[in-house]
Amino acid sequence: MFEGVLPAIITPFKRNSAMSLDIAGLERNIEFLLSRGIHGIVPCGSTGESATLTFEEHEKVIGVTVDTINGKIPVLAGTGSNNTAEAIKLTKAAKDTGADGVLVISPYYNKPNRAGLIKHYTKLADLDIPVVVYNVPGRTGQNLEPDLIAELAQHPNIVGLKEASGNIGQISRIIEDTQDEDFAVISGDDNITLPILALGGAGVISVAANVDPKRMVEMYEAMQCCDYQKALVLHYAMSPLFRSMFIDTNPIPVKKAVELIGLAGGPVRLPLDELDAKKTEQLRKALSSLPAKGTPKAKPTAKKAVKAAAATAKPAQKRR
């Protein structure tokens, strides 16, 4: 169900005192991604600043995404929490809103024991919605071991794993141990998507695809067609962009990048803060390598912030 290129989308905010949701901008961003051939979409993940969304905003973003997608591709909604009761509430809401599945980060800060992790994910999977487990030790402080994933994969509603440990050996072991299950291992790190696909991974939940979805799709499809040379060329062509997405804490760079290419970005919410001038210049340099046809044209707007972003994007477009 969940395979190919699934952008973990940003949540655009307005540049007002409340930093309220930019619904029109969100819809426009999704339409741009759809036009570039993505295979699925992930609202309200880490890249979508889920930690600072209210429950009502969380539900609204998922609802807008479901409505805009209109059944064209699967919607995998982020509904994780370090509080099982809250994760259940978010997951029920996502199911009621029409999401095709949920992406659930392993509980952060608490560092639950093995039995607690099994019960946490089982309670969510028992809500009768497909669940993709999310392993990202850099944010949670705890790695989900291969034997734990193999056990979770036996639940009929636990259908996949987003793997962002960066440990290729571990990822290979998980793919090996879950071969007999209806279970997908998905890259959670753009930089190592190519080797994960080579090992039998099903796709990528991507940050960079917010900015360059077309080439991400081309790389995935090249691997599916066993055109490894083309996939390798695309991987290295996009590597500067992959690195630029993490010159600061995600999603700070990708929100700025999205705005610079003429889409809706807006500010990040505290405790995150804006990208500084030096890193913004690094980002502009990385964006200058984007194919000209791969970026959208900014729509006319009265908002000064968007005008400024569009203006800074123009020099990069001239160099292409």
Side-chain angles (χ1 to χ4, degrees), residues 112-220:
N113 58 9
R114 181 189 175 90
L117 287 166
I118 295 290
K119 289 178 180 178
H120 176 79
Y121 280 109
T122 299
K123 280 183 176 291
L124 296 172
D126 285 346
L127 297 173
D128 198 27
I129 185 170
V131 173
V132 175
V133 177
Y134 181 14
N135 184 35
V136 57
R139 284 188 180 267
T140 66
Q142 186 176 35
N143 183 51
L144 300 183
E145 300 293 336
D147 64 315
L148 172 68
I149 297 300
E151 183 173 344
L152 290 172
Q154 294 174 29
H155 193 296
N157 288 331
I158 298 181
V159 300
L161 169 70
K162 177 184 177 183
E163 239 294 348
S165 69
N167 184 334
I168 286 291
Q170 171 171 292
I171 295 165
S172 177
R173 177 64 185 273
I174 292 168
I175 294 172
E176 177 187 351
D177 289 350
T178 58
Q179 288 181 93
D180 296 332
E181 306 292 342
D182 186 10
F183 189 81
V185 177
I186 305 167
S187 172
D189 184 343
D190 289 310
N191 280 298
I192 57 174
T193 295
L194 184 65
I196 291 174
L197 291 174
L199 289 167
V204 58
I205 294 176
S206 171
V207 175
N210 282 280
V211 181
D212 196 358
K214 186 172 183 292
R215 287 195 297 178
M216 288 296 296
V217 168
E218 287 174 355
M219 185 179 74
Y220 168 78

Side-chain angles (χ1 to χ4, degrees), residues 18-30:
M19 292 190 189
S20 51
L21 296 178
D22 181 356
I23 298 301
L26 175 62
E27 292 169 340
R28 186 159 65 92
N29 290 358
I30 294 170

Side-chain angles (χ1 to χ4, degrees), residues 15 240-241 244-248 251-261 266 268 273-288 308-313 315-316 319:
R15 291 191 180 275
L241 176 65
S244 74
M245 294 294 94
F246 293 90
I247 55 176
D248 209 327
I252 297 171
V254 68
K255 285 201 89 169
K256 176 61 71 174
V258 163
E259 201 165 59
L260 288 173
I261 67 169
V268 289
D273 199 6
E274 298 288 321
L275 200 66
D276 66 32
K278 182 178 179 180
K279 289 178 179 176
T280 298
E281 189 54 39
Q282 287 179 253
L283 186 60
R284 286 198 186 98
K285 185 176 180 181
L287 293 176
S288 70
T312 55
R319 289 195 292 270

Side-chain angles (χ1 to χ4, degrees), residues 88-106:
I88 288 171
K89 181 181 179 183
L90 290 167
T91 299
K92 284 180 176 178
K95 181 182 177 181
D96 292 343
T97 303
D100 298 285
V102 293
L103 177 67
V104 181
I105 194 169
S106 61

Side-chain angles (χ1 to χ4, degrees), residues 7 26 54 72 109 155 160 171 193 200 208 227 240 264 272 275 293 298 316:
L26 175 62
T54 66
K72 296 182 182 75
Y109 188 76
H155 193 296
I171 295 165
T193 295
D227 190 345
L272 301 181
L275 200 66
K293 292 181 181 179

